[in-house]
Amino acid sequence: MILDSKIPAGPVAEKWTKHKFNMKLVNPANKRKYDVIVVGTGLAGASAAASLAELGYNVKAFCFQDSPRRAHSIAAQGGINAAKNYQNDGDSIYRLFYDTVKGGDYRAREGNVYRLAEVSVNIIDQCVAQGVPFAREYGGLLANRSFGGAQVSRTFYARGQTGQQLLLGAYSALSRQVANGKVKLYPRTEMMDIVNIEGQTRGIITRNLITGEIEKHSAHAVLLCTGGYGNVFFLSTNAMGSNVTAAWRAHKKGALFANPCYTQIHPTCIPVSGDHQSKLTLMSESLRNDGRVWVPKTIELAQKLRKKEIKPSDIKDEDRDYYLERRYPSFGNLVPRDVASRNAKYVCDEGRGVNETGEAVFLDFRDAIQRDGEDLVRSKYGNLFDMYQQITGDNPYQQPMMIYPAVHYTMGGLWVDYNLMTNVPGLYALGEANFSDHGANRLGASALMQGLADGYFVIPYTIGDYLARMSSDKVSTDHPEFQKAEKEIKDKIQKLLSINGSKTIDHFHKRLGKIMWEYCGMARTAEGLQKAKGLIKDLKVEFWKDVKVLGANEELNQSLEKAHRVADFIELGELMVDDALHRNESCGGHFREEYQTEDGEALRDDENFAYVGAWKFVGEGVEEELHKEELKFEEVKLTQRSYK
C-alpha cells in the first residue's frame, strides 16, 4: 500500500496557503445538503462541530459523557502554544515549527508541523474573541510562560485551568449551533463501529448508554475526535472513561493505525500511592518554570528521607543534586518531557528516590518563594498547589512537591494525510486521535494547540474539498452494510454478557496495565517486549473465557461499557508491543535500552527508521501488516537531539 500524505509541493511556508486556494469549495446553498458526524466533543470535536455548523453543514455530535463540557480536554492545565512573540524574545512561526520537529525527535511530517505553527496565531485571537480569560501582562497584552523544549515564552494560559477555559469557549460556540438547529447533540452515546459503503465511510453504529439501544446514523463524512489511548496502561493521567474503542473499531474496518508505540510519559505527576488508585493526577509542566527538580546527592540521604529521619529542608544545597540543571545547562528544568522523565527514572533507579517507594523526586519552590514572594507564586499556580495539597496532605508552599513520571499523552493514532483524512475515504481523525503532528514526543502545551488547529482552521477547508467531489445523496440506515454492522455489535454484546466468568473487568485491565508499564513503558528491550507479547496473548484468551460482565444490555451498564473498552485495549496493547519491537532505535518517548548514546540519550537510526509505521488489520488472530510512509526533511537538518 502506498501512503500518500498529500503534502502540497512548494516552500513549506507557502504550502497551506496554496493548498487552501487549490481545494474545491461547496457553495453556501449546497452545504445544507451534507451531513457530517463528529464523534467526541473535546477541543478538536467541539471546535470542528461548531465550525462546520457555522459554515452551514448539518452536524451530529456524539459524546459518551452527559455533557460536552466533561470531555477530557477540560483537564489540561498549563497552557496552549502560539507563535505570537508578544515577549519579543525571538519567537516566530519558524521557531515554533523547528522546536516541534526537534521535540518530536524528527519523526513528524514537516508540512503538517509548519501548518500547525502557522495557524497557532489565529487560535489565540479566536479564543480571546470567545471570551477565554487568558492571563494578561500589566500593559494589557496576553501573558506568556515557558514550557519544556523551548527557550522562548510562547505558552498562553489561564492559571492552571487552560483546558477548561478553552473548552468552555468551544462549548459556547457549539451551543450556539445547537440552538440554531445546525448541530444535534447525542450525549451518553458511545460509538461502537463505523460503516463503510463502496469504500467510503458513510455512518456509525452507536449504543445509548442509558437504554442500551443500538442505533444507526448515516452521513457523508465521519470525524473521529476521540482523544488518545493512554488508559491502555490502566494508571494514567487520563480520565477513567478515556478509551481507544472508536479509533480501534475504525482500525479494524480498514483505517491504518500509525506509530502506536509512541507514548508520552509526563514527568510531573503525583506519584503512585498504592493499588487502590484508578488514575493518576498530573501537575502542570508550567510548574517547572519556577520549581527546581532535585534529589539528594547520596543514597544514604535518600534513605533517611524515606524513613522520615530527616526532612527535605534539612538537606543543604551542597548535598542536593539539581540533576536537570546539571545535565542540561541550556534548558535546565525545562527540557522536553521524555528527557525529564527518563532522568527521573535514572536517579530513582540509582536509589535516590525520595518517597517511601523510592519512586519520586522533588519539585521545589523554595527559591521562587524567597525570590518573588508567596503571593506571586500563589497568583500563578494557586489552584495547582491547592489540588496537590488536597490529594497528598502536604503543603507545597512549605515543603517540596513530590513528583514522578506517569503515562499522559499518546503521539500515535490513526494515520491521516495532510487533509486529516485516514486512508478510508470519508473518515477523518482530529486531535490526539490522529498521529500527525508530534512525532515521537509532544512538547508541552501543544495538545490544545493541535486540537483547536484541526477543528477551527484545518478541517473546515479540507472536508469541503472532499464533499465537493461527491453527490449529496443520502444513504439510508436500512442499507445492508448498516444492518450487518448492527448485527456484529449485538452479537459481540451478547458474547460478552454470556461468558459469566469469575474475574472482574478491572482485574484484566490492571494486569494489562502492569504488563505495558513494565515492558513497554519508559524503557523497553527486545527481550521484554517479546515477553510482553506472549503475556498479552495469554491475557486475551483468558479474558474471553473468564471475564464476568454484570447486568444486561437494555439498561445503564457500566460493566458492559468497560468490557468493550478493555477488550479493545488488550488488542491495542499487542500492536503497541509489535510496533516497539520492530523499531530498532530510540526516539522521543520510544526508548529502547539497546539504542542509546554514551550519555544515556535516545539514539535514532535515521537511515533505517525515518518513517511513519502504519499498521493494517488483516484479520482476527493474524499479525498486522506494516506499511511505511517515508519522512523527508528539507527544512530541518537531522541531528542528534541535544538540550545541553
Side-chain angles (χ1 to χ4, degrees), residues 46-57:
S47 60
S51 299
L52 295 175
E54 188 76 43
L55 287 171
Y57 298 108

Side-chain angles (χ1 to χ4, degrees), residues 51-52 81 88 176 215 259 271 293 312 335 373 391 424 438 452 461 483 505 563 619 632:
S51 299
L52 295 175
N81 287 331
N88 202 27
R176 165 184 151 88
E215 300 167 342
N259 299 337
V293 179
V335 292
I391 292 171
V424 181
H438 306 297
L452 292 180
Y461 289 97
Q483 309 283 5
I505 300 153
K632 298 176 182 176

